[in-house]
């Protein structure tokens, strides 16, 4: 592999300009792939943390288990800090947040949501 110093080209590079161009192209593609991987790691695309969590809420109606979304992309889209908050699973047809009253069913549902 040809090692290219950042401030100079190898001696007699003009004798084989296409090989130098090919090597520069390979180096640029390798650097781009490395930067993309680092960006994905910084943005949280590759994580072992599950996206959905069970959150317990006690009220007058008894104990309810809500499904909290921990996706970091949700907060990134919100520009103002006072709009940031917890995102829960919403049940559209019933017009309410989805919840379970049985802890075993809540754990099963969160496992199902994280498998998607």
């Amino acid at each position: 592999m040809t090692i290219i110093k950042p401030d100079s080209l190898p001696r007699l590079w003009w004798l084989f300009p296409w090989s130098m161009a090919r090597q520069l192209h390979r180096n640029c593609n390798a650097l781009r792939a490395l930067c993309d991987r680092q960006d994905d790691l910084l943005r949280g695309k590759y994580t072992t943390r599950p996206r959905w969590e069970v959150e317990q809420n006690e009220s007058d109606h008894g104990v309810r288990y809500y499904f909290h979304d921990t996706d970091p992309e949700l907060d990134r889209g919100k520009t103002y800090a006072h709009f940031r908050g917890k995102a829960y699973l919403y049940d559209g047809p019933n017009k309410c947040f989805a919840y379970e009253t049985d802890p075993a069913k809540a754990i099963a549902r969160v496992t199902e949501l994280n498998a998607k």
Side-chain angles (χ1 to χ4, degrees):
M1 179 174 149
T2 306
I3 298 174
I4 300 172
K5 296 179 184 177
D7 58 348
S8 66
L9 289 171
R11 290 187 188 125
L12 304 176
W13 68 271
W14 59 87
L15 295 177
F16 303 103
W18 291 112
S19 62
M20 287 308 308
R22 184 176 60 239
Q23 188 61 42
L24 285 171
H25 179 68
R26 285 181 189 161
N27 291 350
C28 289
N29 284 339
L31 186 61
R32 185 182 319 142
L34 175 67
C35 291
D36 288 344
R37 279 196 308 268
Q38 290 175 346
D39 282 345
D40 290 344
L41 286 172
L42 288 174
R43 291 183 180 143
K45 287 186 179 178
Y46 298 112
T47 180
T48 57
R49 185 184 68 183
R51 178 176 174 179
W52 294 95
E53 295 177 345
V54 176
E55 191 166 295
Q56 182 178 353
N57 185 7
E58 296 180 20
S59 65
D60 296 337
H61 304 288
V63 178
R64 291 183 176 177
Y65 298 95
Y66 289 96
F67 306 103
H68 178 222
D69 190 0
T70 61
D71 187 14
E73 293 293 326
L74 291 174
D75 284 341
R76 248 187 231 112
K78 299 173 185 170
T79 55
Y80 299 106
H82 62 277
F83 286 132
R84 294 183 183 201
K86 293 190 175 181
Y88 293 102
L89 182 62
Y90 187 72
D91 188 6
N94 294 331
K95 305 232 185 284
C96 66
F97 291 107
Y99 67 90
E100 292 286 345
T101 54
D102 183 24
K105 288 182 181 177
I107 291 171
R109 184 148 184 207
V110 129
T111 306
E112 175 188 325
L113 285 171
N114 283 329
K116 290 182 182 178

